[in-house]
Amino acid sequence: MTFSRRQFISAGLGTTALIALAACSSSESSDGSGNPSSGGTLRVGALGQPSKIERDPHQTLSNDSDFLITSLVYDALTVPGENPNVAPRLASEWTQLEDLRKWKFTLAEGATFHDGTPVTSEDAVWSLRRLREIAGETKVPVASVEDIVSDGPSAVVITTAAPNRELPLLLRLMTFVVKKDTTDFTTPVGTGPFKLESYRDGNARLVRNENWHGGTPLLEAIEVTRFDSTTAMANAVIAQQIDLASNVGAVAGRTADGRDNLTVVRRPNDVVIPIVMRTSDGPFADPRVREALRLAVDRDAMVKQVTSGYGTVANDVLGTGDPTYDWSLKQRSRDIEKAKQLLREAGFDTGQTYTLFTKEEAAGEVDSAKLFSTQARDIGVTIDVVTQDANVFYDETWLKAPLYTANWGTNDSVIFFASKVMYSGTKWNESGFRDPEFDAAYLEALAAPDDDTYAKASRTLQEIEYARGGYLVWGMADGVDVASSKVQGLPQLGGYGRVQLEKTWLSS
């Protein structure tokens, strides 16, 4: 299929979007070194902090290692695709009904849990309702759990508060389906391509699900090892203790580049590590102050030093991979004098020291905070960088502090970020952003009857974010995996698509 994402969405209005699962898998990109072969165990390294280990698929999964395990054991209704960027998984098809607030998702034929039990709409409804209760509208954008109902034995109807043409996209890799009434996940029974064989402290051995509805995976098993740091993970793949270092960062990529026994997989424009400035109150509530900080940053230097050149300069808008991304917005560049002027006009207290909280989570995240702190001195702003344990960060800082770093391993949709972190109704509003004009444009985009209307609303969202939003988006980092040269068929998709390893294989 060659139609664009926008064409796909348009085609979905009032019609059935039926796409063959196999045709849309993210893992079709063999490097052409030979025919895929079955068997073998892939040893994968992924980042994860022991304090944030989470096994409940409906809770926030902060660790890459937990997210990888969850995505292999359970199926979500939809997953990232390439073109279009929404692909089927447990839902084989979806239809926006005549009432444009309603979407019908049909479960894949023959889908079963790992114990052989058929998946039913009751399982899906129970899972979606539980997810809605835990995560709120951020993950399932409905007003009430009663808006999620069965439609026969193998279909679910979701009713949003207003027309929402992007619902399949907003549900990607979030709607993991479990058996009805399941609340204990120590012995998970999912529907995904791999089954859990053993688990300890965030490390897991998974064996393939011979009866997976999407086709039998090629790998016999996947062993996931949790690493506390990218450095340790990079050393492990270089020492051949693991076969794949997932999202290991640019420094490891540079180190591995050119080695005969290693392959570096780069996913351009993949990871964003923004600085979040609280907009609702505190020292950065004045938009002139936020503008001053954006003008203080030397974006070229940030990309060069933080990503080792494996990245690109960005322009304070999230979702640079979106087809509707507004490239006409003037690229911000460093302007020290203007920044100082804005601080004076805002009455900003340059005599104080401000804290920028960060964490050892994404590759380069701490480095970006430290470099920005250094650059901010040039406009007279003193920033003290505090690196927190991830558990402390998410309990005490995230969504609360005036200034902190965030990271998102996806970047293909403006509406995704609007939905998850900027719309006033989201539970994850990272910057405390409450902007009626932004909210109106967001709802207009979701209800857009055609692509032109959608694109116009998307540009309005970006203009507001650029002018007065709470993010300093200095650049985009490439996603970087380092793998043994025997690992074939790795996902080439950006963002969370990297966890779809069901078509990965090992050459002899």
Side-chain angles (χ1 to χ4, degrees):
M1 295 185 178
T2 57
F3 48 82
S4 70
R5 171 176 171 273
R6 296 262 62 79
Q7 290 169 323
F8 165 74
I9 293 297
S10 178
L13 294 174
T15 63
T16 297
L18 175 61
I19 306 172
L21 177 60
C24 291
S25 169
S26 64
S27 306
E28 294 174 327
S29 51
S30 169
D31 66 357
S33 62
N35 295 322
S37 58
S38 178
T41 297
L42 178 69
R43 302 168 299 170
V44 184
L47 284 176
Q49 300 300 319
S51 61
K52 295 303 296 180
I53 290 175
E54 178 59 66
R55 304 187 66 182
D56 185 336
H58 297 152
Q59 297 288 348
T60 299
L61 302 170
S62 302
N63 286 339
D64 279 3
S65 49
D66 294 334
F67 188 63
L68 175 59
I69 294 168
T70 299
S71 301
L72 294 170
V73 171
Y74 301 98
D75 282 321
L77 293 180
T78 59
V79 294
E82 183 172 4
N83 188 10
N85 63 357
V86 184
R89 195 68 163 202
L90 189 57
S92 60
E93 61 183 48
W94 47 87
T95 306
Q96 192 169 25
L97 303 179
E98 187 174 350
D99 178 348
L100 297 181
R101 298 175 306 131
K102 295 179 181 290
W103 281 88
K104 178 180 178 179
F105 293 83
T106 301
L107 302 179
E109 186 176 354
T112 60
F113 287 103
H114 294 160
D115 63 0
T117 307
V119 182
T120 69
S121 58
E122 288 191 357
D123 298 312
V125 168
W126 192 86
S127 300
L128 292 170
R129 287 183 172 186
R130 183 173 187 268
L131 181 63
R132 172 60 178 81
E133 289 176 339
I134 290 174
E137 292 187 47
T138 302
K139 287 194 174 181
V140 187
V142 297
S144 163
V145 295
E146 303 302 324
D147 295 322
I148 305 165
V149 298
S150 297
D151 184 16
S154 59
V156 177
V157 171
I158 300 174
T159 303
T160 55
N164 186 333
R165 61 187 258 151
E166 300 286 355
L167 186 62
L169 180 146
L170 297 176
L171 298 180
R172 296 180 308 175
L173 276 179
M174 291 191 179
T175 49
F176 296 112
V177 171
V178 304
K179 276 189 147 183
K180 185 175 182 288
D181 297 328
T182 300
T183 56
D184 182 353
F185 299 97
T186 54
T187 54
V189 180
T191 65
F194 289 86
K195 302 186 288 187
L196 184 73
E197 182 178 88
S198 62
Y199 181 92
R200 182 175 183 182
D201 297 331
N203 307 293
R205 177 177 168 84
L206 313 169
V207 295
R208 67 184 170 201
N209 177 6
E210 303 279 354
N211 300 313
W212 188 48
H213 60 90
T216 304
L218 293 167
L219 293 166
E220 182 177 342
I222 295 178
E223 293 177 355
V224 179
T225 300
R226 179 182 57 77
F227 287 88
D228 290 349
S229 72
T230 54
T231 301
M233 184 161 52
N235 289 337
V237 74
I238 290 171
Q240 301 182 44
Q241 295 167 345
I242 57 175
D243 305 308
L244 170 62
S246 176
N247 218 23
V248 71
V251 174
R254 291 281 186 204
T255 303
D257 203 13
R259 294 183 180 238
D260 291 339
N261 62 336
L262 294 174
T263 300
V264 178
V265 178
R266 291 178 62 178
R267 298 179 297 275
N269 194 19
D270 190 56
V271 179
V272 60
I273 309 172
I275 294 171
V276 183
M277 302 172 285
R278 189 162 182 81
T279 64
S280 56
D281 51 57
F284 309 105
D286 190 320
R288 292 172 294 186
V289 175
R290 300 197 295 276
E291 172 74 1
L293 293 187
R294 293 188 182 106
L295 293 174
V297 67
D298 183 339
R299 296 163 197 260
D300 289 319
M302 293 285 279
V303 169
K304 183 177 181 180
Q305 296 182 43
V306 175
T307 75
S308 296
Y310 281 23
T312 53
V313 166
N315 202 23
D316 303 319
V317 172
L318 296 165
T320 56
D322 194 310
T324 67
Y325 184 78
D326 188 354
W327 295 101
S328 69
L329 291 173
K330 182 181 178 182
Q331 175 62 56
R332 276 199 179 94
S333 58
R334 199 174 204 211
D335 190 334
I336 299 298
E337 293 309 313
K338 185 175 180 180
K340 289 180 176 178
Q341 178 186 341
L342 287 167
L343 292 178
R344 286 194 298 272
E345 291 175 357
F348 186 76
D349 186 354
T350 55
Q352 288 194 28
T353 297
Y354 300 90
T355 300
L356 172 56
F357 294 99
T358 188
K359 58 196 179 303
E360 294 273 7
E361 194 166 75
E365 187 166 351
V366 173
D367 292 338
S368 72
K370 291 179 177 178
L371 183 54
F372 174 69
S373 169
T374 300
Q375 295 177 349
R377 293 176 194 161
D378 293 341
I379 64 169
V381 176
T382 303
I383 293 176
D384 182 28
V385 175
V386 173
T387 304
Q388 295 180 313
D389 171 82
N391 206 35
V392 174
F393 177 88
Y394 283 106
D395 286 346
E396 300 179 2
T397 299
W398 189 51
L399 308 179
K400 304 180 185 77
L403 194 65
Y404 61 89
T405 64
N407 72 83
W408 286 88
T410 187
N411 195 42
D412 64 355
S413 171
V414 168
I415 201 72
F416 172 87
F417 285 108
S419 167
K420 305 305 179 189
V421 297
M422 285 178 275
Y423 176 57
S424 62
T426 178
K427 191 175 180 180
W428 294 347
N429 196 318
E430 293 183 321
S431 64
F433 195 53
R434 304 281 188 275
D435 190 299
E437 188 180 352
F438 186 91
D439 288 352
Y442 168 70
L443 295 175
E444 183 180 350
L446 293 181
D450 54 67
D451 289 353
D452 289 342
T453 304
Y454 178 85
K456 182 180 178 182
S458 176
R459 286 194 296 273
T460 300
L461 291 173
Q462 295 172 65
E463 289 165 2
I464 294 171
E465 184 184 354
Y466 178 86
R468 56 180 185 269
Y471 289 91
L472 194 168
V473 188
W474 51 267
M476 291 298 305
D478 294 353
V480 178
D481 294 342
V482 175
S484 162
S485 55
K486 68 181 180 181
V487 181
Q488 308 292 324
L490 284 171
Q492 300 294 305
L493 278 177
Y496 301 129
R498 66 178 181 274
V499 301
Q500 297 172 243
L501 296 175
E502 63 273 7
K503 289 197 173 181
T504 298
W505 55 285
L506 299 173
S507 62
S508 57

